[in-house]
Amino acid sequence: MGRLLWLLCLAVGSSRWWLRGAQGKTLRGRFSSAGGGAQPAARFQFHGDHAVLYIRINNVAAAVEKEARLHLFQAQEWLKLQDSTQDHSCGEKLSKAQLTVPMNLTEQNLTVTQIPYPEAWYVFYVDKFTCEENYENSESEDIQFEMVLLNPDAEGNPLDHFSAGESGLHEFFFLLVLAYFVAACIYAQSLWQTLKKGGPMHTVLKVLSTVLLFQAGSAFANYLHFSSYAKDGIGAPFMGSLAELCDIVCQIQMLYLLLSLCMGWMIGRMKKSQSRPLQWDSTPASTGIAVVVVVTQSILLIWEQFEDTNHHSYHSHHSLASGLLIGLRVCLSLSLACGLYQIIRVERSTLKREFYITFAKGCILWFLCHPGLATISVLFRDYQREKVITIGVILCQSVSIIILYRLFLSHSLYWEVSSLSSVTLPLTVASGHKSRHYF
């Protein structure tokens, strides 16, 4: 199963690497004439009164001959035009642009002012051939360009490459990396000593530690990407993709672990076997369920990358694949909650009930935080949603890992529960020695 997980993770990660494209706010490319409508060039969330669009082209003569220009639409106004029941012609739509920049100079700056609150703007390339339905001119010269989109910084100078939806993420990942570093300095040695001792908590603690390392690796790679992005508006795409790959590996590892434990737990309870402690890794049913769900989630993650490539680790959930991922996590949370409720309801031991409840809190928080925050985010403005989901999911899943760490490192709770009835615990794995059982 471990090899299968790695192959799935690499497939998802590779799809992210080549799908990321030019997402930086320093954009380079070519404008070519084509009929049938305006060509989308960029999307950016401006804020403040001194936001700037800088455009540099290499062939002014060709641009002047084509009557080339940039049209800027507020996102809401553009979507209204697209959804309007009135049959607007191509020219009528373009005439409603809030701002227009004629491309008749090598370098130009456009200052975007009077923005009451941060909002998204679409930038389109338009020339005299744009509204011609059957335009064909292979000899038309393309226009090479460099476009830089900037927001005002804390001092009001247009030097900030981050859009309104990304502002603050750089500082968040810095604080997150700092928190991981401080926690490692305090707890790494004692945790390493615990892992070296082995014992019944060894495997689960090892997996939790691996998940935590991937979380820390994702945070560090994101910090490096955003640090570079703050300087040039392009960033380090490889580090951004590496951060996403680490996050996917983390999600799949944790999903397989929790599902294997919980399914084995419930199947073991239903069978009510008293002959030997439950060994969830050798239960075909629990392993099969976990594998099917993990593969399903991996397929949805790959599909999601093809449908939405403009976000980082967490998507805005407008696509079908994103909606199915949310539904999958909700179903997992509900099934887990129902199963654990049945177990806790009939459990008479206060100590064991406390163990089950704590374990349920950690699992449900891990599964449900993403759907919950995606639902809550609709209450916020568009530029706030990605930050709410990204920051909220990372913090909630970190809390979930802390809850599970505290549970399995608590000898006073775990050891007493396991000695009372190891049959009801999904936390023993065959080690090859009949007298000892490890996580």
Side-chain angles (χ1 to χ4, degrees), residues 8 290-302 325 328:
L8 289 170
V291 170
V292 169
V293 176
V294 167
V295 171
T296 301
Q297 176 177 266
S298 301
I299 292 173
L300 291 176
L301 284 169
I302 296 175
L325 274 171
L328 175 64

Side-chain angles (χ1 to χ4, degrees), residues 406-427:
R406 288 174 59 87
L407 179 65
F408 299 130
L409 286 172
S410 175
H411 285 206
S412 60
L413 178 61
Y414 176 79
W415 285 96
E416 290 188 43
V417 171
S418 61
S419 64
L420 287 171
S421 177
S422 59
V423 176
T424 63
L425 294 175
L427 310 174

Side-chain angles (χ1 to χ4, degrees), residues 92-342:
E92 289 175 339
K93 287 183 179 180
L94 296 178
S95 67
K96 297 181 182 296
Q98 280 72 43
L99 295 170
T100 304
V101 185
M103 298 170 63
N104 53 12
L105 297 172
T106 302
E107 297 184 11
Q108 287 181 274
N109 284 333
L110 171 67
T111 301
V112 184
T113 59
Q114 298 179 350
I115 303 176
Y117 56 85
E119 58 183 334
W121 288 67
Y122 291 114
V123 183
F124 294 94
Y125 168 77
V126 176
D127 59 30
K128 65 181 181 181
F129 305 110
T130 295
C131 292
E132 295 185 11
E133 292 291 340
N134 300 318
Y135 171 76
E136 292 183 5
N137 187 357
S138 59
E139 297 179 358
S140 178
E141 183 180 354
D142 293 346
I143 302 172
Q144 291 186 347
F145 73 93
E146 178 181 7
M147 185 188 303
V148 181
L149 302 157
L150 297 166
N151 274 319
D153 58 15
E155 299 178 356
N157 300 316
L159 300 173
D160 186 4
H161 290 279
F162 292 103
S163 70
E166 299 167 328
S167 62
L169 289 179
H170 184 204
E171 293 78 6
F172 168 73
F173 282 112
F174 169 75
L175 294 175
L176 187 62
V177 170
L178 181 62
Y180 280 126
F181 176 76
V182 173
C185 292
I186 297 174
Y187 298 109
Q189 184 177 1
S190 59
L191 180 60
W192 175 250
Q193 291 175 350
T194 302
L195 291 173
K196 286 176 64 177
K197 292 178 182 177
M201 297 175 290
H202 178 262
T203 302
V204 167
L205 289 178
K206 186 168 64 175
V207 174
L208 285 176
S209 300
T210 303
V211 170
L212 193 60
L213 283 175
F214 276 112
Q215 277 193 329
S218 176
F220 184 64
N222 266 319
Y223 171 69
L224 294 179
H225 169 64
F226 281 118
S227 296
S228 177
Y229 186 95
K231 298 176 183 178
D232 58 15
I234 298 175
F238 173 77
M239 297 308 299
S241 298
L242 181 62
E244 295 177 356
L245 179 59
C246 288
D247 180 72
I248 291 174
V249 174
C250 167
Q251 297 292 330
I252 292 179
Q253 275 197 326
M254 196 70 168
L255 175 63
Y256 180 69
L257 171 69
L258 295 182
L259 279 179
S260 297
L261 295 178
C262 297
M263 292 300 103
W265 189 346
M266 295 172 191
I267 290 172
R269 291 285 294 193
M270 288 187 291
K271 290 180 178 179
K272 299 185 181 300
S273 173
Q274 301 292 330
S275 60
R276 60 188 178 90
L278 174 64
Q279 298 175 350
W280 64 265
D281 66 329
S282 61
T283 304
S286 62
T287 303
I289 293 172
V291 170
V292 169
V293 176
V294 167
V295 171
T296 301
Q297 176 177 266
S298 301
I299 292 173
L300 291 176
L301 284 169
I302 296 175
W303 182 11
E304 185 182 44
Q305 309 320 307
F306 282 93
E307 291 196 342
D308 186 356
T309 63
N310 295 321
H311 295 80
H312 298 287
S313 295
Y314 303 98
H315 295 249
S316 56
H317 312 294
H318 298 306
S319 66
L320 176 60
S322 299
L324 292 175
L325 274 171
I326 292 296
L328 175 64
R329 288 165 179 150
V330 171
C331 291
L332 289 172
S333 302
L334 293 176
S335 61
L336 175 63
C338 291
L340 291 175
Y341 174 75
Q342 295 298 324

